[in-house]
Amino acid sequence: MRPLRLDLAGFTVFRDETTIDFTDADFFALVGPTGSGKSTVLDAICFALYGQVPRWGSSRGIANALAPSATEARVRLVFECAGARYVATRVVRRDGRGNVKTGNAGLQLMPAGFDVTKLDTGMSPDDLGEVLAGTPAEMEQAVLDAVGLPYEQFTSCVLLPQGQFADFLHAKPATRQQILINLLGLEVYEEIQKRAATRAMHADAQLTAVDQVLDGLTGAGDEHVAAADARADAMRALADAVESAVPALREAQQNAADAAAALTALDAEIAQLSAVRPPADVAAVARTVTEARAMAADAGTAVAAAEDGEEKLRAALTGAGDAAALRLRLQAHADRERLATEAAALTKGVAGAGSEHADAVAALDRARADAARTVEQLEAARRAYQEAQSADRAAALRAQLVAGAACPVCTQPVHTVPPTPAGSAVAAAEAAGHAARADNDAAQKVMAERERAARDLERVLDRARAQHEQLAARSAELDRQLADSPGPAVLRRELDAIAALQRELDDAGSAVRAAREAQRRAQAGVEMAEDRMRTAWREFDTARDRMARLGPPSADRDDVAAAWAALRDWTDAEVARRRADRVDAAGGVDTAQAAAGAAGERIATLFTAAGLTTPAGGADGAGYSRAAAVAVERAEAEQRRLTERREQARRLADQRAVHERDSQVAKALAGHLRANNFERWLLEEALDLLVDGASRILRDLSSGQYDLVHDKGEFYVVDHHDAGLRRAVRTLSGGETFQASLALALALSEQLAGMSTTAASLESIVLDEGFGTLDSATLDTVATTLESLAARGDRMVGVVTHVAALAERVPVRFEVRKDARTAHVERTGL
């Protein structure tokens, strides 16, 4: 895995959007003050791929990804693996309740030759290539397939976190062994052992199943197959013999069936002829028809006479006049008399209403005069009140007048002061005004009532006059209509004559209806009698038609009784003749049935000779043929079954050998892998290779002073400056411990790809360590080692340091600074 570009926004100290371009940075250093965010860059790379960071632990999890007070953090990493380019993206959000969750995660395979700088143009996720993972759950397997390393191996071989640099060096043997197992993927051998055991168990189960089937395949040897072949040949010979004998049986059965059918037909004809019987009342049917027709003719004559009388009365009624018009004219005479009475009464009412209206008008005039008088009195009282008020005010001023002085109102000299009145006239004037007001209100009320009464009487008088005019107009119209009327008495006589004619016409209509009902009943009697006649002829025709094939005599269509008598005489003669023929027919049936029985016995002998139960032959011998065919099919099916069972037994025997061999091989493999010797041997070989590579690097770093060895899982250093003394690694100083840890890390990174069972592509290594504990000579050695590792060109090498001497040796530097708001990264160097 080789990082190419890293984009951050809202991620821990990187609050603002930040882009780090690792293009062509084969050997780089992340430099800057302590706490500026150097290690956060590596955290972002690890988080984009795996969704977790070593130094976060599990206390808060992904909540550490959010910058303070930020609600969203975004990380996007573009990287290469084995020549392919990928882009990994993770977005973390905080919801309204403060819960932090991964809002989005994805991995995409970018098109070949994709220019990373195009990401600055605002491309959509759909433009970045094929989607390999679209959810956090899918990311783990997709990243493992792309990078080839799980999280634990990635943080031990590619990204070496701060504070864990010497963990592998100081780990206990059991812990170190487990780390190597995880890193080398040796758990695959445990999986192989489990699968081998499962395969062995499956092979044993199949072996048992095959044995059970073989146990059930007894009786399928060659001798059983030969016996089945012979049985099939015998059944085929039986079928051929039966097929040869069946035609004779069918012919004999057909002869017997024909004879029986002829006898049955003769019996049927005798029964049919004997069943012919004429109806009991056939002679009375003709008499009933004649009598009914005579009654119908008499009823028709009566209907014609009744209808003629009705027509004459209707003509007379038509000539007598229009009864409705006469009734209307008689009603008009009554209306004229009524209107005359109403007009007289209304004339009297109009006169009375006029008198009352005149009285109301006179009363209204008097009320208006009274109202005008009270108005004058009210006005006089108002003037008196005002004069009384003026007098009171003048009296009040007199107290201020002095003889010889100027008047305060008119400024004229006062010669003599008049005397002051003894009392005030205002109260009396006010009382008189109230009384005048009351009289005026009462007069106005009376006048209003008189006006309403006059108006009401005037409206009544107008309505009475209008009604009188309407009655006069209606009376004049009735006088015009009745100018030529003969008078009410004549009109009543004419109406009585018309009513009498109408009653006679109604009686004539009843007589017509009664005659027609009698005619209908007579006609119904004719139809019933004729229907009985037709029924008698239909019965005769039906009986004769049933005998048509026997040649009955012709019938006289004028006399049904004679026709029935002739048919009965013919049937009696035919029955006698057929009874004589039946004796010979019965003898022929017995002879034919005996011949058919003999043919059936010959076929039954064939089945008995073949060892089979004789089947029912059926009406045409098909039962024998069917039974023979079934016997052949069963014999051939048994022949095929035994042949197939013999072949199945042979195939199962071959399968059993395969299952037995598979079981033995799987058990042997599971047994070998079940012991710890194989895994122990692999771990020892891997540790030997790892220690050899680390010892070579440590020798360079320590200028030949130290070699690294191991014994029973423990690490030791051989101090060549102390006569080859072997010391435990825990006795090393801080600088020496760093050298040994760096040697192990580099060796592990170099050799893991060759030793691991996974398809890891270790194209980079990043060391997150301060290097501040090293002296200048060792620091120079470390720098030289890293430069040599980078110069090989097969991987990117990165370091995180705040040591200026080491940073100056690195060609590409990313300077990390942090202000009050966010961290910034600037690329310097080449």
Short mmCIF file of all heavy atoms in Angstrom, two decimals, residues 605-661:
data_model
loop_
_atom_site.label_atom_id
_atom_site.label_comp_id
_atom_site.label_asym_id
_atom_site.label_seq_id
_atom_site.Cartn_x
_atom_site.Cartn_y
_atom_site.Cartn_z
N THR A 605 -55.24 -72.38 -20.73
CA THR A 605 -54.22 -73.42 -20.60
C THR A 605 -52.82 -72.83 -20.83
O THR A 605 -51.84 -73.23 -20.18
CB THR A 605 -54.50 -74.54 -21.60
OG1 THR A 605 -55.82 -75.07 -21.36
CG2 THR A 605 -53.47 -75.66 -21.48
N LEU A 606 -52.69 -71.85 -21.76
CA LEU A 606 -51.39 -71.23 -22.01
C LEU A 606 -50.87 -70.51 -20.76
O LEU A 606 -49.68 -70.59 -20.41
CB LEU A 606 -51.51 -70.23 -23.17
CG LEU A 606 -51.86 -70.82 -24.54
CD1 LEU A 606 -52.05 -69.69 -25.56
CD2 LEU A 606 -50.75 -71.76 -25.02
N PHE A 607 -51.72 -69.77 -20.05
CA PHE A 607 -51.30 -69.04 -18.84
C PHE A 607 -50.91 -70.01 -17.74
O PHE A 607 -49.94 -69.80 -17.01
CB PHE A 607 -52.44 -68.13 -18.35
CG PHE A 607 -52.53 -66.84 -19.12
CD1 PHE A 607 -53.41 -66.70 -20.19
CD2 PHE A 607 -51.73 -65.75 -18.77
CE1 PHE A 607 -53.49 -65.52 -20.89
CE2 PHE A 607 -51.81 -64.57 -19.48
CZ PHE A 607 -52.69 -64.44 -20.55
N THR A 608 -51.70 -71.11 -17.60
CA THR A 608 -51.38 -72.08 -16.56
C THR A 608 -50.02 -72.72 -16.82
O THR A 608 -49.21 -72.92 -15.89
CB THR A 608 -52.47 -73.16 -16.49
OG1 THR A 608 -53.74 -72.54 -16.25
CG2 THR A 608 -52.19 -74.17 -15.39
N ALA A 609 -49.75 -73.04 -18.09
CA ALA A 609 -48.47 -73.65 -18.42
C ALA A 609 -47.31 -72.69 -18.14
O ALA A 609 -46.19 -73.12 -17.82
CB ALA A 609 -48.47 -74.06 -19.90
N ALA A 610 -47.53 -71.36 -18.22
CA ALA A 610 -46.47 -70.37 -17.96
C ALA A 610 -46.35 -70.06 -16.49
O ALA A 610 -45.52 -69.21 -16.10
CB ALA A 610 -46.74 -69.09 -18.75
N GLY A 611 -47.18 -70.71 -15.63
CA GLY A 611 -47.08 -70.47 -14.20
C GLY A 611 -47.81 -69.22 -13.74
O GLY A 611 -47.50 -68.69 -12.66
N LEU A 612 -48.76 -68.75 -14.51
CA LEU A 612 -49.49 -67.53 -14.17
C LEU A 612 -50.95 -67.87 -13.90
O LEU A 612 -51.49 -68.85 -14.42
CB LEU A 612 -49.41 -66.51 -15.31
CG LEU A 612 -48.02 -65.98 -15.68
CD1 LEU A 612 -48.11 -65.05 -16.88
CD2 LEU A 612 -47.39 -65.26 -14.49
N THR A 613 -51.58 -67.02 -13.11
CA THR A 613 -53.02 -67.16 -12.85
C THR A 613 -53.79 -66.74 -14.09
O THR A 613 -53.47 -65.73 -14.72
CB THR A 613 -53.43 -66.28 -11.66
OG1 THR A 613 -52.67 -66.68 -10.51
CG2 THR A 613 -54.92 -66.43 -11.36
N THR A 614 -54.81 -67.51 -14.44
CA THR A 614 -55.58 -67.18 -15.64
C THR A 614 -56.37 -65.89 -15.41
O THR A 614 -57.16 -65.81 -14.46
CB THR A 614 -56.54 -68.33 -15.98
OG1 THR A 614 -55.80 -69.54 -16.15
CG2 THR A 614 -57.31 -68.01 -17.25
N PRO A 615 -56.17 -64.89 -16.23
CA PRO A 615 -56.90 -63.62 -16.05
C PRO A 615 -58.28 -63.70 -16.67
O PRO A 615 -58.62 -64.65 -17.37
CB PRO A 615 -56.02 -62.62 -16.79
CG PRO A 615 -55.41 -63.41 -17.90
CD PRO A 615 -55.20 -64.82 -17.36
N ALA A 616 -59.08 -62.66 -16.43
CA ALA A 616 -60.38 -62.54 -17.09
C ALA A 616 -60.15 -62.10 -18.52
O ALA A 616 -59.43 -61.12 -18.79
CB ALA A 616 -61.25 -61.52 -16.34
N GLY A 617 -60.78 -62.82 -19.46
CA GLY A 617 -60.52 -62.53 -20.87
C GLY A 617 -61.24 -61.32 -21.38
O GLY A 617 -60.78 -60.65 -22.30
N GLY A 618 -62.41 -61.01 -20.83
CA GLY A 618 -63.16 -59.87 -21.33
C GLY A 618 -64.02 -60.26 -22.51
O GLY A 618 -64.01 -61.39 -23.00
N ALA A 619 -64.78 -59.27 -22.99
CA ALA A 619 -65.75 -59.53 -24.06
C ALA A 619 -65.07 -59.84 -25.38
O ALA A 619 -65.62 -60.56 -26.21
CB ALA A 619 -66.68 -58.33 -24.21
N ASP A 620 -63.89 -59.30 -25.63
CA ASP A 620 -63.23 -59.50 -26.93
C ASP A 620 -61.86 -60.15 -26.78
O ASP A 620 -61.06 -60.09 -27.70
CB ASP A 620 -63.09 -58.17 -27.66
CG ASP A 620 -62.32 -57.16 -26.83
OD1 ASP A 620 -62.03 -57.48 -25.65
OD2 ASP A 620 -62.02 -56.06 -27.34
N GLY A 621 -61.55 -60.73 -25.60
CA GLY A 621 -60.26 -61.37 -25.40
C GLY A 621 -59.15 -60.38 -25.09
O GLY A 621 -57.99 -60.78 -24.96
N ALA A 622 -59.49 -59.07 -24.97
CA ALA A 622 -58.45 -58.08 -24.70
C ALA A 622 -57.81 -58.30 -23.34
O ALA A 622 -56.65 -57.96 -23.13
CB ALA A 622 -59.04 -56.67 -24.79
N GLY A 623 -58.55 -58.85 -22.39
CA GLY A 623 -57.99 -59.12 -21.07
C GLY A 623 -56.82 -60.09 -21.13
O GLY A 623 -55.83 -59.92 -20.40
N TYR A 624 -56.92 -61.12 -22.02
CA TYR A 624 -55.80 -62.06 -22.16
C TYR A 624 -54.57 -61.36 -22.74
O TYR A 624 -53.44 -61.54 -22.25
CB TYR A 624 -56.22 -63.23 -23.07
CG TYR A 624 -57.33 -64.08 -22.49
CD1 TYR A 624 -58.47 -64.38 -23.24
CD2 TYR A 624 -57.22 -64.61 -21.20
CE1 TYR A 624 -59.48 -65.15 -22.72
CE2 TYR A 624 -58.23 -65.39 -20.68
CZ TYR A 624 -59.36 -65.66 -21.43
OH TYR A 624 -60.35 -66.43 -20.91
N SER A 625 -54.79 -60.56 -23.78
CA SER A 625 -53.66 -59.85 -24.40
C SER A 625 -53.03 -58.88 -23.41
O SER A 625 -51.80 -58.76 -23.31
CB SER A 625 -54.12 -59.09 -25.65
OG SER A 625 -54.64 -59.97 -26.62
N ARG A 626 -53.89 -58.18 -22.67
CA ARG A 626 -53.37 -57.22 -21.70
C ARG A 626 -52.59 -57.91 -20.60
O ARG A 626 -51.53 -57.44 -20.18
CB ARG A 626 -54.54 -56.42 -21.12
CG ARG A 626 -54.11 -55.28 -20.24
CD ARG A 626 -55.24 -54.29 -20.00
NE ARG A 626 -56.49 -54.94 -19.62
CZ ARG A 626 -57.55 -55.07 -20.41
NH1 ARG A 626 -57.53 -54.59 -21.65
NH2 ARG A 626 -58.65 -55.68 -20.00
N ALA A 627 -53.12 -59.06 -20.12
CA ALA A 627 -52.43 -59.79 -19.06
C ALA A 627 -51.08 -60.31 -19.55
O ALA A 627 -50.08 -60.27 -18.83
CB ALA A 627 -53.30 -60.94 -18.56
N ALA A 628 -51.05 -60.79 -20.79
CA ALA A 628 -49.79 -61.28 -21.34
C ALA A 628 -48.79 -60.12 -21.49
O ALA A 628 -47.59 -60.26 -21.18
CB ALA A 628 -50.02 -61.95 -22.68
N ALA A 629 -49.27 -58.95 -21.97
CA ALA A 629 -48.38 -57.80 -22.13
C ALA A 629 -47.85 -57.34 -20.77
O ALA A 629 -46.67 -56.96 -20.64
CB ALA A 629 -49.13 -56.65 -22.82
N VAL A 630 -48.71 -57.36 -19.74
CA VAL A 630 -48.27 -56.97 -18.39
C VAL A 630 -47.21 -57.94 -17.88
O VAL A 630 -46.21 -57.53 -17.26
CB VAL A 630 -49.49 -56.91 -17.44
CG1 VAL A 630 -49.02 -56.78 -16.00
CG2 VAL A 630 -50.39 -55.75 -17.81
N ALA A 631 -47.41 -59.23 -18.14
CA ALA A 631 -46.43 -60.22 -17.70
C ALA A 631 -45.09 -59.97 -18.38
O ALA A 631 -44.02 -60.06 -17.74
CB ALA A 631 -46.94 -61.63 -18.00
N VAL A 632 -45.13 -59.65 -19.69
CA VAL A 632 -43.88 -59.35 -20.40
C VAL A 632 -43.22 -58.10 -19.80
O VAL A 632 -42.00 -58.07 -19.55
CB VAL A 632 -44.16 -59.15 -21.90
CG1 VAL A 632 -42.92 -58.62 -22.61
CG2 VAL A 632 -44.62 -60.45 -22.52
N GLU A 633 -44.03 -57.03 -19.54
CA GLU A 633 -43.48 -55.78 -19.00
C GLU A 633 -42.86 -56.01 -17.63
O GLU A 633 -41.78 -55.49 -17.32
CB GLU A 633 -44.59 -54.72 -18.91
CG GLU A 633 -44.13 -53.38 -18.37
CD GLU A 633 -43.06 -52.73 -19.21
OE1 GLU A 633 -43.04 -53.00 -20.44
OE2 GLU A 633 -42.25 -51.98 -18.65
N ARG A 634 -43.53 -56.79 -16.79
CA ARG A 634 -42.99 -57.06 -15.46
C ARG A 634 -41.69 -57.86 -15.54
O ARG A 634 -40.73 -57.58 -14.81
CB ARG A 634 -44.01 -57.82 -14.63
CG ARG A 634 -45.20 -56.95 -14.20
CD ARG A 634 -46.23 -57.76 -13.46
NE ARG A 634 -47.35 -56.92 -13.02
CZ ARG A 634 -48.45 -57.40 -12.45
NH1 ARG A 634 -48.59 -58.73 -12.28
NH2 ARG A 634 -49.42 -56.58 -12.07
N ALA A 635 -41.68 -58.85 -16.41
CA ALA A 635 -40.46 -59.66 -16.53
C ALA A 635 -39.31 -58.81 -17.06
O ALA A 635 -38.17 -58.90 -16.57
CB ALA A 635 -40.72 -60.85 -17.46
N GLU A 636 -39.59 -57.95 -18.06
CA GLU A 636 -38.54 -57.09 -18.61
C GLU A 636 -38.11 -56.03 -17.59
O GLU A 636 -36.93 -55.67 -17.51
CB GLU A 636 -39.03 -56.43 -19.90
CG GLU A 636 -39.19 -57.41 -21.05
CD GLU A 636 -39.71 -56.74 -22.31
OE1 GLU A 636 -40.17 -55.58 -22.19
OE2 GLU A 636 -39.64 -57.36 -23.40
N ALA A 637 -39.08 -55.51 -16.79
CA ALA A 637 -38.73 -54.54 -15.76
C ALA A 637 -37.84 -55.17 -14.70
O ALA A 637 -36.86 -54.56 -14.25
CB ALA A 637 -40.01 -53.98 -15.10
N GLU A 638 -38.16 -56.42 -14.31
CA GLU A 638 -37.31 -57.11 -13.35
C GLU A 638 -35.93 -57.37 -13.95
O GLU A 638 -34.89 -57.26 -13.26
CB GLU A 638 -37.98 -58.43 -12.95
CG GLU A 638 -37.16 -59.26 -11.96
CD GLU A 638 -37.04 -58.59 -10.61
OE1 GLU A 638 -37.75 -57.60 -10.36
OE2 GLU A 638 -36.21 -59.06 -9.81
N GLN A 639 -35.92 -57.70 -15.25
CA GLN A 639 -34.64 -57.90 -15.93
C GLN A 639 -33.81 -56.61 -15.90
O GLN A 639 -32.61 -56.63 -15.57
CB GLN A 639 -34.91 -58.34 -17.38
CG GLN A 639 -33.65 -58.61 -18.20
CD GLN A 639 -33.99 -58.90 -19.65
OE1 GLN A 639 -35.02 -58.43 -20.16
NE2 GLN A 639 -33.15 -59.66 -20.33
N ARG A 640 -34.47 -55.46 -16.25
CA ARG A 640 -33.74 -54.18 -16.22
C ARG A 640 -33.31 -53.81 -14.80
O ARG A 640 -32.21 -53.29 -14.58
CB ARG A 640 -34.63 -53.07 -16.79
CG ARG A 640 -34.86 -53.18 -18.29
CD ARG A 640 -35.51 -51.91 -18.83
NE ARG A 640 -36.80 -51.65 -18.22
CZ ARG A 640 -37.94 -52.10 -18.70
NH1 ARG A 640 -37.97 -52.88 -19.79
NH2 ARG A 640 -39.10 -51.81 -18.09
N ARG A 641 -34.21 -54.07 -13.84
CA ARG A 641 -33.88 -53.71 -12.45
C ARG A 641 -32.65 -54.45 -11.95
O ARG A 641 -31.75 -53.87 -11.35
CB ARG A 641 -35.09 -54.01 -11.56
CG ARG A 641 -34.94 -53.51 -10.13
CD ARG A 641 -36.13 -53.92 -9.29
NE ARG A 641 -36.14 -55.36 -9.06
CZ ARG A 641 -35.47 -55.96 -8.07
NH1 ARG A 641 -34.73 -55.26 -7.25
NH2 ARG A 641 -35.54 -57.27 -7.92
N LEU A 642 -32.63 -55.76 -12.23
CA LEU A 642 -31.47 -56.54 -11.75
C LEU A 642 -30.20 -56.11 -12.47
O LEU A 642 -29.12 -56.03 -11.87
CB LEU A 642 -31.75 -58.03 -11.96
CG LEU A 642 -32.82 -58.63 -11.03
CD1 LEU A 642 -33.04 -60.10 -11.39
CD2 LEU A 642 -32.38 -58.51 -9.58
N THR A 643 -30.34 -55.81 -13.78
CA THR A 643 -29.16 -55.35 -14.53
C THR A 643 -28.66 -54.01 -13.97
O THR A 643 -27.45 -53.82 -13.77
CB THR A 643 -29.51 -55.21 -16.01
OG1 THR A 643 -29.98 -56.47 -16.52
CG2 THR A 643 -28.29 -54.75 -16.81
N GLU A 644 -29.60 -53.10 -13.68
CA GLU A 644 -29.20 -51.80 -13.13
C GLU A 644 -28.61 -51.95 -11.73
O GLU A 644 -27.64 -51.26 -11.39
CB GLU A 644 -30.43 -50.87 -13.08
CG GLU A 644 -30.90 -50.44 -14.47
CD GLU A 644 -32.20 -49.68 -14.42
OE1 GLU A 644 -32.74 -49.54 -13.29
OE2 GLU A 644 -32.68 -49.23 -15.48
N ARG A 645 -29.20 -52.82 -10.93
CA ARG A 645 -28.66 -53.03 -9.58
C ARG A 645 -27.25 -53.61 -9.65
O ARG A 645 -26.39 -53.26 -8.84
CB ARG A 645 -29.58 -53.97 -8.79
CG ARG A 645 -30.85 -53.29 -8.32
CD ARG A 645 -31.86 -54.30 -7.80
NE ARG A 645 -31.40 -54.99 -6.60
CZ ARG A 645 -31.58 -54.53 -5.36
NH1 ARG A 645 -32.21 -53.39 -5.18
NH2 ARG A 645 -31.15 -55.21 -4.32
N ARG A 646 -27.02 -54.51 -10.63
CA ARG A 646 -25.67 -55.06 -10.77
C ARG A 646 -24.69 -53.95 -11.16
O ARG A 646 -23.59 -53.84 -10.58
CB ARG A 646 -25.66 -56.17 -11.82
CG ARG A 646 -24.29 -56.82 -12.02
CD ARG A 646 -24.38 -57.94 -13.05
NE ARG A 646 -24.78 -57.41 -14.35
CZ ARG A 646 -24.99 -58.20 -15.41
NH1 ARG A 646 -24.83 -59.52 -15.31
NH2 ARG A 646 -25.36 -57.67 -16.56
N GLU A 647 -25.11 -53.06 -12.11
CA GLU A 647 -24.24 -51.95 -12.50
C GLU A 647 -24.06 -50.96 -11.35
O GLU A 647 -22.98 -50.41 -11.14
CB GLU A 647 -24.83 -51.24 -13.72
CG GLU A 647 -24.86 -52.09 -14.98
CD GLU A 647 -23.46 -52.56 -15.36
OE1 GLU A 647 -22.51 -51.77 -15.21
OE2 GLU A 647 -23.34 -53.72 -15.78
N GLN A 648 -25.15 -50.72 -10.59
CA GLN A 648 -25.06 -49.81 -9.45
C GLN A 648 -24.08 -50.35 -8.41
O GLN A 648 -23.29 -49.60 -7.82
CB GLN A 648 -26.44 -49.60 -8.82
CG GLN A 648 -26.46 -48.60 -7.67
CD GLN A 648 -27.82 -48.48 -7.06
OE1 GLN A 648 -28.75 -49.22 -7.41
NE2 GLN A 648 -27.96 -47.55 -6.13
N ALA A 649 -24.15 -51.66 -8.17
CA ALA A 649 -23.24 -52.26 -7.20
C ALA A 649 -21.79 -52.09 -7.65
O ALA A 649 -20.90 -51.82 -6.83
CB ALA A 649 -23.59 -53.73 -7.00
N ARG A 650 -21.55 -52.22 -8.95
CA ARG A 650 -20.18 -52.05 -9.45
C ARG A 650 -19.73 -50.59 -9.28
O ARG A 650 -18.59 -50.33 -8.86
CB ARG A 650 -20.11 -52.45 -10.92
CG ARG A 650 -20.29 -53.96 -11.15
CD ARG A 650 -20.36 -54.26 -12.63
NE ARG A 650 -20.52 -55.71 -12.85
CZ ARG A 650 -20.72 -56.27 -14.04
NH1 ARG A 650 -20.81 -55.49 -15.13
NH2 ARG A 650 -20.84 -57.57 -14.16
N ARG A 651 -20.63 -49.61 -9.61
CA ARG A 651 -20.26 -48.19 -9.44
C ARG A 651 -20.01 -47.84 -7.96
O ARG A 651 -19.08 -47.12 -7.62
CB ARG A 651 -21.36 -47.30 -9.99
CG ARG A 651 -21.48 -47.32 -11.51
CD ARG A 651 -22.35 -46.18 -12.01
NE ARG A 651 -23.69 -46.22 -11.45
CZ ARG A 651 -24.71 -46.87 -12.01
NH1 ARG A 651 -24.55 -47.55 -13.14
NH2 ARG A 651 -25.90 -46.85 -11.45
N LEU A 652 -20.89 -48.39 -7.10
CA LEU A 652 -20.72 -48.10 -5.67
C LEU A 652 -19.43 -48.69 -5.13
O LEU A 652 -18.79 -48.11 -4.24
CB LEU A 652 -21.91 -48.65 -4.89
CG LEU A 652 -23.23 -47.88 -5.09
CD1 LEU A 652 -24.37 -48.60 -4.39
CD2 LEU A 652 -23.09 -46.46 -4.54
N ALA A 653 -19.04 -49.83 -5.67
CA ALA A 653 -17.77 -50.41 -5.23
C ALA A 653 -16.61 -49.49 -5.60
O ALA A 653 -15.68 -49.28 -4.80
CB ALA A 653 -17.59 -51.80 -5.85
N ASP A 654 -16.68 -48.91 -6.83
CA ASP A 654 -15.63 -47.95 -7.22
C ASP A 654 -15.68 -46.70 -6.34
O ASP A 654 -14.62 -46.18 -5.92
CB ASP A 654 -15.82 -47.56 -8.69
CG ASP A 654 -15.64 -48.74 -9.63
OD1 ASP A 654 -14.97 -49.72 -9.22
OD2 ASP A 654 -16.15 -48.69 -10.77
N GLN A 655 -16.89 -46.20 -6.06
CA GLN A 655 -17.01 -45.02 -5.19
C GLN A 655 -16.50 -45.32 -3.79
O GLN A 655 -15.86 -44.47 -3.16
CB GLN A 655 -18.48 -44.58 -5.11
CG GLN A 655 -19.02 -44.01 -6.40
CD GLN A 655 -20.48 -43.65 -6.30
OE1 GLN A 655 -21.05 -43.63 -5.20
NE2 GLN A 655 -21.11 -43.36 -7.43
N ARG A 656 -16.76 -46.52 -3.30
CA ARG A 656 -16.30 -46.87 -1.96
C ARG A 656 -14.79 -46.80 -1.88
O ARG A 656 -14.22 -46.32 -0.88
CB ARG A 656 -16.80 -48.27 -1.60
CG ARG A 656 -16.54 -48.64 -0.15
CD ARG A 656 -16.94 -50.06 0.18
NE ARG A 656 -16.84 -50.31 1.60
CZ ARG A 656 -15.70 -50.46 2.27
NH1 ARG A 656 -14.53 -50.40 1.61
NH2 ARG A 656 -15.71 -50.67 3.58
N ALA A 657 -14.14 -47.25 -2.92
CA ALA A 657 -12.68 -47.20 -2.91
C ALA A 657 -12.18 -45.75 -2.88
O ALA A 657 -11.23 -45.42 -2.17
CB ALA A 657 -12.13 -47.92 -4.15
N VAL A 658 -12.87 -44.87 -3.66
CA VAL A 658 -12.48 -43.45 -3.66
C VAL A 658 -12.71 -42.82 -2.29
O VAL A 658 -11.83 -42.11 -1.76
CB VAL A 658 -13.27 -42.69 -4.75
CG1 VAL A 658 -13.01 -41.19 -4.64
CG2 VAL A 658 -12.89 -43.19 -6.13
N HIS A 659 -13.89 -43.06 -1.69
CA HIS A 659 -14.19 -42.50 -0.36
C HIS A 659 -13.22 -43.02 0.69
O HIS A 659 -12.80 -42.26 1.58
CB HIS A 659 -15.62 -42.84 0.05
CG HIS A 659 -16.66 -42.19 -0.82
ND1 HIS A 659 -16.49 -40.95 -1.37
CD2 HIS A 659 -17.89 -42.62 -1.25
CE1 HIS A 659 -17.55 -40.62 -2.08
NE2 HIS A 659 -18.41 -41.63 -2.04
N GLU A 660 -12.87 -44.29 0.60
CA GLU A 660 -11.94 -44.86 1.57
C GLU A 660 -10.57 -44.21 1.45
O GLU A 660 -9.92 -43.87 2.45
CB GLU A 660 -11.85 -46.37 1.36
CG GLU A 660 -11.05 -47.08 2.44
CD GLU A 660 -11.12 -48.59 2.28
OE1 GLU A 660 -11.48 -49.04 1.18
OE2 GLU A 660 -10.82 -49.30 3.25
N ARG A 661 -10.14 -44.00 0.19
CA ARG A 661 -8.84 -43.34 -0.01
C ARG A 661 -8.88 -41.88 0.47
O ARG A 661 -7.96 -41.41 1.14
CB ARG A 661 -8.47 -43.39 -1.49
CG ARG A 661 -7.10 -42.77 -1.79
CD ARG A 661 -6.73 -42.93 -3.26
NE ARG A 661 -7.64 -42.22 -4.13
CZ ARG A 661 -8.57 -42.79 -4.88
NH1 ARG A 661 -8.73 -44.11 -4.85
NH2 ARG A 661 -9.38 -42.06 -5.65
#
